[in-house]
Amino acid sequence: MQRPWHASAALLAAVFVASAAQESARPPIALNARQEALLLANCTQCHARPGIGAPLIGDAAAWKERRYQGEDRLLEHVVLGVRGMPPLGYCSACTEDDFRALIRYMAGVEDKN
Amino acid sequence: MKRRGLLQALGAGTALAACSREPDMRAPVDYRVGGRVPWINWAGNQSCWPSERIAPQAETELVERLRAAKGVVRAVGAGHSFTAVVPTDDTLIATDLLAGLASVDSNTLQAEVWAGTRLHAMGDLLEPAGQALPNMPDMNYLALGGAMANAAHATGAGFGSMPSYVAGITLATPSGELISCDVRRNPELFQAARVSLGVLGIVTRMRLQNQAPFRLTETDRIEKTEDVLADLANRKARHRHFEFLPLPYSSYSITVSTDVAVAGDADLGEDDPQAAMSLRKVFEALSWIPGGRALYDRVLTTVFGSQATTVRTGRSYEVFPHVRIVRFREMEYSIPADAAVACVREVLQAIRTRNLPVCMPLEVRFIRADGAWMSMFEGRDSCSISVHQYADLDHRAYFGEIEPIFWKYEGRPHWGKLHTLDAPRLAKLYERHWRDFQEIRASVDPQGRMLNPYLKSVLGA
């Protein structure tokens, strides 16, 4: 039986690296297994696909302006949808904590632990 | 705007795709950080405030949580339905974490897949097992369970809807039973559960009849709509998959022909993800001028004046889907396949003569008959015709003018797309098995725990 949270750390790392900008990507905060699965099922559909307007996972330059708005503002955009981004980012399973973790991961927020 | 760019923009369902600069839309509910998180669908026209939101990580957990759930219970996958099949203010069960391959049979080319699996994951899951889906919709955001519940489909006169390829189902009932069904075991439950609107419980996994991996080449062209209609039977027979997208106020359509790839097919590039909005800008810039809609037609005629072609080739699961990030509202009816030409002409004529404000293309597809009781394609080869409006514009006047045309042709509305029919009218469209389905539904959910107000209105339960 294969479940999505068995998606390997290697796959997740590949998503991060492949979609990151050329500038050096810092190690992102860690996601738990559930959040890894939610990321792969939902966020990667747009945030790991170049050329459609969504900031790519780990692309610090693309996320810089968005991070400047503050995490609460980003969270509102995720939940309610904004421009091309659908409400909840497709993730009906996500809690507010999940969304915060996913935003930080995709924006390349450093893991301070 | 260059012809090729516009063609790429409009081609292959990408007319419905893509632009990061779409107008902001008002959210259907308020949300304050730190408060409850609402549920909102993709299009932003359905929402709810579930008091409990559950995301089971295993089948056994889902069964137990479903049995113990309070109030009206609804399941959700990607949340792509335009109709209110999902909303509940009681218990919402998200299937995101119930995903992946459960088992593979290389001899039969069948694979059992968890119902929360997104279509975009299917290619990578199945290919290492030597399998591929025979057909796929033109976007791959859907969850498998939702796609089956609403009879999602693609195009291809020789191919049925997605439920046509389901060989077996495991269903968690509201009472906490886990029942397997197929054409031999619990056959009536199987025919009901293949397209169920999610009212029989929650499908946890399904066994899919697949085929060996294959490659496809898709060719998009701009052609005169009347030429396409005159040659429609040949197109449907000649190509593995054929669809076309007539452009309102224009004499042109985008045709999308997809066949098994052959040596030498060359990929000419990805769709332009910005140009659905380019079309809108042209339309809006001209349509307010007296006679502007005729001018719009002339502009498109100039742009499309010579043959223009775009080609995509690759693995099947890379070619079938297209990016879709411009949000819109959609109504789709399936009519008998042999009524396609007359109905398309009538819809286009109605848009023009009634001066309806729309520039998003129609989408015309073909689906083989199937036997699932509540499938839009049950018992008849079908043509599905979709109309769309940008999500920040009011779709109601447009859809209201077009929907009665579909009724004339005995159209059945897509379960996941907007329509105004209620149970008495739907029952007439599903005469053969309406009562059979109601009996199965009542037997597995006698208390109606899976029914929200919308589902009660369309099922009459």
Side-chain angles (χ1 to χ4, degrees):
Chain A
M1 182 181 299
Q2 179 181 347
R3 297 205 181 95
W5 58 92
H6 291 176
S8 68
L11 175 58
L12 207 60
V15 167
F16 186 87
V17 171
S19 58
Q22 287 70 26
E23 55 190 274
S24 61
R26 295 167 297 181
I29 68 153
L31 298 177
N32 62 35
R34 164 195 160 84
Q35 291 161 346
E36 285 181 8
L38 296 175
L39 177 94
L40 291 170
N42 297 292
C43 314
T44 56
Q45 295 179 104
C46 297
H47 292 282
R49 183 167 190 163
I52 62 171
L56 297 178
I57 298 170
D59 183 346
W63 282 96
K64 186 177 179 182
E65 183 183 342
R66 291 168 173 89
R67 286 177 63 182
Y68 186 72
Q69 299 174 40
E71 189 172 289
D72 282 0
R73 185 70 175 148
L74 291 180
L75 187 56
E76 283 179 15
H77 287 168
V78 170
V79 171
L80 298 177
V82 61
R83 295 185 292 274
M85 172 144 179
L88 306 171
Y90 282 106
C91 187
S92 294
C94 285
T95 64
E96 208 174 83
D97 287 344
D98 292 328
F99 284 132
R100 285 190 187 278
L102 292 164
I103 290 168
R104 291 172 191 166
Y105 180 86
M106 289 193 287
V109 174
E110 283 180 302
D111 188 351
K112 294 176 181 173
N113 295 321
Chain B
M1 187 169 11
K2 293 178 181 175
R3 182 176 59 233
R4 177 173 164 73
L6 186 55
L7 178 64
Q8 285 180 318
L10 301 177
T14 47
L16 317 179
C19 176
S20 62
R21 294 195 186 88
E22 73 173 53
D24 278 328
M25 293 177 293
R26 187 176 302 170
V29 292
D30 289 327
Y31 159 70
R32 293 182 189 281
V33 171
R36 287 166 65 196
V37 175
W39 177 85
I40 307 171
N41 68 338
W42 174 83
N45 67 320
Q46 304 292 345
S47 62
C48 62
W49 294 94
S51 58
E52 188 163 23
R53 188 189 299 244
I54 302 167
Q57 299 192 2
E59 189 176 52
T60 50
E61 181 189 356
L62 183 144
V63 169
E64 180 53 31
R65 300 295 291 268
L66 174 58
R67 188 190 61 74
K70 293 174 182 167
V72 173
V73 187
R74 295 300 302 154
V76 62
H80 229 284
S81 291
F82 298 85
T83 51
V85 289
V86 168
T88 174
D89 288 337
D90 297 323
T91 302
L92 185 66
I93 298 183
T95 58
D96 298 47
L97 299 175
L98 207 66
L101 279 181
S103 64
V104 174
D105 186 330
S106 300
N107 293 321
T108 60
L109 287 178
Q110 291 185 350
E112 193 172 37
V113 185
W114 294 101
T117 309
R118 299 296 168 85
L119 295 188
H120 68 75
M122 292 299 293
D124 287 338
L125 284 173
L126 293 177
E127 192 168 66
Q131 298 186 20
L133 296 177
N135 200 3
M136 286 178 73
D138 59 5
M139 51 90 168
N140 60 5
Y141 305 103
L142 305 177
L144 205 52
M148 299 304 170
N150 295 315
H153 63 92
T155 192
F159 295 85
S161 63
M162 293 205 72
S164 300
Y165 297 92
V166 175
I169 286 173
T170 301
L171 175 75
T173 69
S175 62
E177 279 186 282
L178 201 58
I179 304 176
S180 295
C181 57
D182 55 34
V183 290
R184 284 184 292 276
R185 291 176 299 172
N186 303 308
E188 293 190 331
L189 178 62
F190 176 63
Q191 294 303 350
R194 282 209 287 172
V195 179
S196 72
L197 287 77
V199 300
L200 305 182
I202 299 178
V203 172
T204 60
R205 47 195 152 119
M206 56 195 80
R207 187 158 38 87
L208 301 177
Q209 181 60 61
N210 298 317
Q211 67 168 82
F214 59 108
R215 294 176 66 82
L216 287 173
T217 295
E218 175 195 286
T219 304
D220 310 339
R221 293 187 179 86
I222 297 290
E223 301 182 69
K224 290 275 190 179
T225 298
E226 281 302 321
D227 292 347
V228 177
L229 294 175
D231 191 40
L232 192 54
N234 286 332
R235 307 285 179 102
K236 288 166 55 184
R238 191 188 319 148
H239 298 293
R240 191 178 194 271
H241 310 276
F242 178 76
E243 69 174 293
F244 65 107
L245 297 98
L247 291 160
Y249 299 106
S250 156
S251 48
Y252 286 93
S253 289
I254 302 134
T255 60
V256 185
S257 308
T258 307
D259 292 288
V260 172
V262 297
D265 284 351
D267 196 314
L268 298 185
E270 287 295 312
D271 306 317
D272 177 351
Q274 296 293 336
M277 287 312 197
S278 298
L279 183 68
R280 180 174 176 177
K281 285 175 185 169
V282 175
F283 182 79
E284 289 178 346
L286 298 175
S287 62
W288 65 275
I289 304 168
R293 287 181 180 165
L295 182 57
Y296 173 76
D297 186 12
R298 287 205 294 278
V299 167
L300 293 192
T301 300
T302 302
V303 171
F304 298 149
S306 62
Q307 290 285 318
T309 302
T310 187
V311 178
R312 300 163 66 232
T313 188
R315 294 180 177 90
S316 61
Y317 58 87
E318 296 169 336
V319 172
F320 279 131
H322 294 263
V323 175
R324 184 176 292 184
I325 56 175
V326 170
R327 278 183 280 159
F328 53 84
R329 308 282 159 80
E330 181 172 359
M331 174 173 68
E332 175 185 302
Y333 272 72
S334 293
I335 61 171
D338 57 11
V341 171
C343 190
V344 168
R345 282 197 180 116
E346 192 166 346
V347 170
L348 288 171
Q349 182 67 14
I351 291 171
R352 198 181 283 271
T353 57
R354 297 171 202 176
N355 208 27
L356 301 174
V358 56
C359 63
M360 291 193 84
L362 313 185
E363 186 170 21
V364 185
R365 294 180 282 181
F366 302 93
I367 304 95
R368 192 184 64 199
D370 65 38
W373 289 351
M374 295 292 276
S375 165
M376 294 89 77
F377 319 106
E378 191 278 324
R380 69 186 195 196
D381 291 337
S382 301
C383 165
S384 70
I385 303 176
S386 310
V387 296
H388 316 81
Q389 184 59 285
Y390 296 97
D392 63 311
L393 302 179
D394 192 339
H395 63 276
R396 289 173 293 186
Y398 173 31
F399 290 8
E401 291 282 353
I402 301 302
E403 191 172 14
I405 297 173
F406 293 139
W407 297 339
K408 279 175 51 182
Y409 293 92
E410 299 180 338
R412 293 170 174 162
H414 191 300
W415 292 114
K417 300 181 184 179
L418 297 171
H419 68 88
T420 64
L421 297 189
D422 58 10
R425 296 191 67 179
L426 287 162
K428 291 178 184 168
L429 296 170
Y430 289 89
E431 244 174 1
R432 263 210 296 210
H433 294 296
W434 185 265
R435 187 168 292 178
D436 298 331
F437 184 82
Q438 298 284 8
E439 287 175 3
I440 290 284
R441 193 210 61 74
S443 71
V444 296
D445 184 21
Q447 296 172 307
R449 295 177 62 216
M450 306 298 298
L451 295 172
N452 66 14
Y454 172 77
L455 289 163
K456 285 180 181 174
S457 78
V458 293
L459 294 176

